[in-house]
Amino acid sequence: MTPEQIIRKFFEEVRSGKNPDYSDQLMAEQVLAHQIASEVEQTVLRTPKEYAEHVREMIEAYDNYSLEIQELLVQGHKVYVRWKQVGAHVGVVDGYQPTGLPITQITSAVYKIEDEKISEYWIQIDRSGVQKQLECNKHIK
């Protein structure tokens, strides 16, 4: 599969929540995940199994969310994706009790493909936007 096909399959099966365990087919045994938390860059190692668990946690928090790829660009062995995820707030998120109201998250990431598997990614999530929605929704009855 090409890098684009790998990432499209990853979003269709794994990131969408349809089949989180398919991550073992598309991700290297250890993936470097570069993330930003409170404007601090962090790098963690993730296994396919840990990533599948992460997706299950998203389902517990946001139910069967929808995911729409808004942009996908390929340059060699790297693939950039920006997506919109919409779910219902059904689980505790960052201390906020469930409201059942919609939460929209905009995220982008660059995925590096080596040996036909995701080996590394750099991700940015609009956490401030999610936080504002959670705060606003807690006041809606």
Side-chain angles (χ1 to χ4, degrees):
M1 285 195 291
T2 67
E4 179 177 350
Q5 290 169 327
I6 291 164
I7 294 305
R8 286 194 183 277
K9 191 68 156 174
F10 176 74
F11 273 81
E12 289 169 14
E13 294 293 328
V14 180
R15 189 68 185 68
S16 68
K18 281 189 209 172
N19 186 5
D21 293 320
Y22 196 68
S23 57
D24 66 352
Q25 300 296 308
L26 301 171
M27 299 179 83
E29 288 181 24
Q30 299 238 327
V31 176
L32 285 172
H34 306 278
Q35 306 170 97
I36 297 175
S38 299
E39 304 306 318
V40 176
E41 293 182 44
Q42 301 174 346
T43 300
V44 296
L45 277 175
R46 281 209 164 153
T47 65
K49 183 177 179 180
E50 290 167 337
Y51 196 89
E53 183 55 35
H54 170 64
V55 171
R56 285 187 191 88
E57 289 169 358
M58 284 190 292
I59 293 167
E60 288 174 11
Y62 300 113
D63 204 16
N64 292 319
Y65 53 85
S66 67
L67 190 144
E68 172 195 354
I69 293 176
Q70 296 182 314
E71 188 167 15
L72 188 144
L73 304 169
V74 181
Q75 185 176 22
H77 62 278
K78 288 186 177 174
V79 181
Y80 166 83
V81 184
R82 184 182 68 238
W83 66 95
K84 177 179 175 181
Q85 180 176 307
V86 180
H89 181 197
V90 297
V92 176
V93 176
D94 296 336
Y96 289 90
Q97 294 302 311
T99 63
L101 295 169
I103 297 289
T104 300
Q105 179 175 294
I106 305 295
T107 307
S108 63
V110 174
Y111 295 89
K112 182 178 179 182
I113 308 300
E114 293 180 309
D115 298 322
E116 295 193 359
K117 297 220 176 186
I118 298 168
S119 63
E120 192 169 4
Y121 64 87
W122 297 259
I123 189 165
Q124 292 182 303
I125 301 168
D126 178 16
R127 293 191 194 282
S128 178
V130 171
Q131 183 74 26
K132 286 178 183 177
Q133 292 172 78
L134 291 167
E135 186 63 30
C136 180
N137 288 353
K138 80 177 187 179
H139 300 293
I140 297 174
K141 303 287 181 204

